[in-house]
Amino acid sequence: MRYRSRVTAPAAALIGTAAALTAAPSALAAPTHTGTSAARTSGTPGPETLGDPVFPDLGNDGYRVAAYHLDFSYDATTRLVDATATLKIRTTQALTRFSLDALGLDIRAVRVGGRTATYEQVAEKLRITPARTLPAKSSVTVCVEYSADPGRDLPHTGWVATPDGFAAFPQPNSAHTVFPCNDHPSDKADFSFRLTVPGGVRGVATGLLVRTESLSGGRTAYTYRSREPIATELVQITVGDYVVKERQGPHGLPLRDVVPTARAAALEPALALTPGLVTWLEARLGAYPFETYGLLPCNTDVPEPFAFIGLETQTLTIYRPNYLLQEEKKIGSHMMHELVHSYFGNSVSPATWADLWLNEGHADFYGLLYRYERGWPDSLGMTTLEARMKNTYAQGDQWRHNWGPVAAPNAVNLFESQRYLGGVLVLYALRNLVGEQAFNALERAFLARYRNASASTEDYIAVASEVSGRDLSGFLRDWLYGTKTPRMPGHPDWTVTPVNPSLAAPHSRKGGHHHENSATL
């Protein structure tokens, strides 16, 4: 599969190009709409896939997205969102038609280069036929007007409906239920947001607040802009009765937490842990890679439509509030897990969803190190990484039987323990083989080389081999793709328990991202 370098363009260029809309949304989106007829020249329809091995229908080819501007207007009475998504794309081939990912969005109008375009909603695709064929290697603005219901029942959703608004929980494949997009982590883009909300609630999004506007009727518009590119699955947009609490992190890093007003005091002990967490992690992985960080204990503890604890939406990690009300030793390692995702997963995103172990394995690895340094027992009562890895190693063949190799998941078992603790076991084996100094060096080299981009398992193997000065491709591929657990370097006495077929019970999930399999909980 081919992944090209992303096309950069400042998100600020899109701010102001799409105004909030006020037309009443239709109950259901029409399946097709005809605008002007397309003038036919040379070109072909863009492929409606990026060939992801886990989600083959996700993403679209023939173009790359440089920037998104999302203009949301929230109505507290109807609880609907009226929106305009403005995308700046660059074509990689001549296109008579192209598609965006979109599900559950009531599309009203589409314009390409300022001209009305024909569109059709088919399954989870929004097929767009511009008035004229788009030439190869050309830049064009795409504007989609639509409305959305955060409480709408969908096969999977990126919305978290709350009593006073909503939040976004788009990982892995549900950003396109919130806004039309090229919904794949290989196509990162710049983002800006304008959120118009009624009095009594606040709109907050990924990135930094750059403008606040007081509007008629007591409404307020908040504009945010990202400094760094974002994968669609990491976008955060939230509306609710929140207070923003600001504090300073290491080296003057601005920290902002977005907290339910009624629970701000109760959540303060958890929020106050962040500066120390950042300091600890920067000593191991280098400077925090974004413009700000903070927590969003969104205003709900209801587990539906899917159970979640936290998700690493960029610069603003979303949590269920009740989880953060526990004592530090119950939450500290998981808070570290989510912070690690700022590096592995956010700054360096997976090239495909088969590369998820790079995110989750690293997040659990450093989360466990943080836990054991403090002497906090894990969920099995263990207090050292070696003890936990010996226990995990014994289950290695069973997990490979149940959930496939570490770097070969499918859509059903994507978020099972194999991607979490199984990934930790791979990193532990690698560190044992090359030594702690070389391991630490290759980790930083990987993050530096692929910062603000996407990287594959093969990219990680290549960096590990280069930095360690030895060919690690065979070693790591055995660990990542083998059906049998390799021998553990430094521990020839460790044994693997034989597979029990009756224990194979992987379970499916209804969309969403789940961290209950994280060893840091």
Side-chain angles (χ1 to χ4, degrees):
M1 181 173 178
R2 296 176 294 111
Y3 287 96
R4 294 168 294 282
S5 60
R6 80 177 188 95
V7 180
T8 57
L14 293 180
I15 294 178
T17 62
L21 306 174
T22 57
S26 60
L28 293 173
T32 63
H33 174 83
T34 302
T36 57
S37 298
R40 297 296 177 185
T41 61
S42 61
T44 58
E48 295 184 352
T49 177
L50 284 170
D52 190 273
V54 178
F55 298 109
D57 295 330
L58 202 60
N60 309 274
D61 213 346
Y63 67 92
R64 302 292 271 180
V65 182
Y68 294 84
H69 178 69
L70 303 181
D71 198 332
F72 279 24
S73 180
Y74 177 67
D75 188 318
T77 302
T78 64
R79 299 182 60 78
L80 299 177
V81 174
D82 202 56
T84 301
T86 305
L87 292 70
K88 185 173 184 180
I89 69 171
R90 181 168 177 79
T91 62
T92 58
Q93 66 182 70
L95 293 172
T96 59
R97 190 185 78 197
F98 63 96
S99 57
L100 299 172
D101 297 300
L103 174 65
L105 306 178
D106 296 329
I107 310 296
R108 291 198 298 273
V110 178
R111 296 186 299 278
V112 178
R115 295 173 176 267
T116 301
T118 299
Y119 66 89
E120 180 183 17
Q121 292 179 263
V122 180
E124 299 190 22
K125 298 295 180 180
L126 173 61
R127 292 175 179 164
I128 300 172
T129 303
R132 293 185 174 87
T133 296
L134 303 180
K137 299 182 180 179
S138 62
S139 295
V140 65
T141 298
V142 180
C143 184
V144 182
E145 300 174 8
Y146 67 99
S147 59
D149 179 358
R152 188 171 186 172
D153 186 26
L154 296 170
H156 59 92
T157 184
W159 298 98
V160 177
T162 64
D164 51 3
F166 62 86
F169 202 93
Q171 194 184 77
N173 62 335
S174 295
H176 63 277
T177 68
V178 180
F179 59 99
C181 57
N182 199 28
D183 198 1
H184 196 273
S186 66
D187 195 9
K188 301 170 77 165
D190 293 316
F191 272 82
S192 61
F193 312 82
R194 185 173 185 264
L195 312 177
T196 302
V197 298
V201 296
R202 180 188 295 264
V204 183
T206 301
L208 292 175
L209 179 66
V210 296
R211 186 181 308 141
T212 303
E213 305 166 72
S214 297
L215 308 177
S216 61
R219 295 174 69 80
T220 303
Y222 300 90
T223 298
Y224 294 82
R225 184 188 310 157
S226 67
R227 188 190 66 188
E228 311 290 351
I230 310 173
T232 52
E233 50 108 0
L234 299 172
V235 165
Q236 182 55 257
I237 307 168
T238 187
V239 170
D241 181 11
Y242 293 120
V243 59
V244 176
K245 305 186 72 172
E246 298 180 346
R247 69 192 81 224
Q248 193 172 92
H251 318 297
L253 174 70
L255 302 176
R256 56 97 189 247
D257 299 304
V258 180
V259 191
T261 302
R263 307 179 78 171
L267 287 163
E268 178 58 26
L271 307 178
L273 298 175
T274 298
L277 294 166
V278 176
T279 297
W280 186 92
L281 193 56
E282 285 192 332
R284 287 151 182 83
L285 297 180
Y288 175 77
F290 299 117
E291 60 269 44
T292 185
Y293 184 67
L295 306 186
L296 166 63
C298 74
N299 198 16
T300 181
D301 282 301
V302 179
E304 296 300 332
F306 42 76
F308 77 89
I309 291 170
L311 176 70
E312 63 277 9
T313 45
Q314 194 158 309
T315 73
L316 192 60
T317 293
I318 183 172
Y319 271 102
R320 289 177 64 189
N322 278 352
Y323 181 78
L324 294 176
L325 295 178
Q326 301 177 90
E327 58 185 328
E328 181 183 1
K329 67 180 181 180
K330 296 287 188 181
I331 63 174
S333 61
H334 190 265
M335 290 178 67
M336 179 59 70
H337 174 111
E338 299 296 358
L339 178 60
V340 172
H341 279 313
S342 297
Y343 298 77
F344 291 96
N346 296 15
S347 179
V348 181
S349 297
T352 76
W353 283 108
D355 303 307
L356 181 73
W357 79 273
L358 285 168
N359 302 16
E360 303 303 345
H362 277 100
D364 259 10
F365 180 82
Y366 291 100
L368 286 172
L369 288 180
Y370 185 77
R371 172 188 290 276
Y372 298 139
E373 275 192 15
R374 277 144 192 78
W376 300 334
D378 60 30
S379 59
L380 301 179
M382 298 175 183
T383 56
T384 67
L385 184 61
E386 182 175 327
R388 189 62 185 269
M389 290 299 94
K390 184 177 182 179
N391 176 273
T392 302
Y393 184 82
Q395 302 173 76
D397 283 1
Q398 185 72 53
W399 287 8
R400 289 167 192 264
H401 176 270
N402 290 5
W403 303 317
V406 175
N410 59 42
V412 173
N413 62 38
L414 180 62
F415 290 106
E416 297 294 353
S417 298
Q418 183 71 306
R419 259 45 76 189
Y420 293 77
L421 269 175
V424 177
L425 193 66
V426 174
L427 297 174
Y428 180 80
L430 175 61
R431 191 178 69 166
N432 281 359
L433 181 69
V434 303
E436 188 169 349
Q437 183 175 355
F439 177 80
N440 293 341
L442 72 88
E443 292 277 275
R444 287 191 178 225
F446 177 74
L447 291 170
R449 182 167 303 179
Y450 294 101
R451 179 171 179 167
N452 291 335
S454 300
S456 68
T457 297
E458 288 301 312
D459 292 329
Y460 184 80
I461 292 172
V463 171
S465 297
E466 177 185 329
V467 174
S468 67
R470 56 196 295 184
D471 184 359
L472 297 172
S473 56
F475 173 83
L476 283 172
R477 286 174 188 149
D478 284 347
W479 274 96
L480 290 163
Y481 297 107
T483 57
K484 294 292 183 181
T485 307
R487 299 299 295 269
M488 175 59 70
H491 294 286
D493 57 316
W494 285 11
T495 58
V496 180
T497 303
V499 171
N500 182 348
S502 67
L503 297 180
H507 50 282
S508 63
R509 306 183 189 279
K510 183 183 177 182
H513 176 83
H514 300 69
H515 268 159
E516 66 264 31
N517 286 321
S518 170
T520 60
L521 295 179

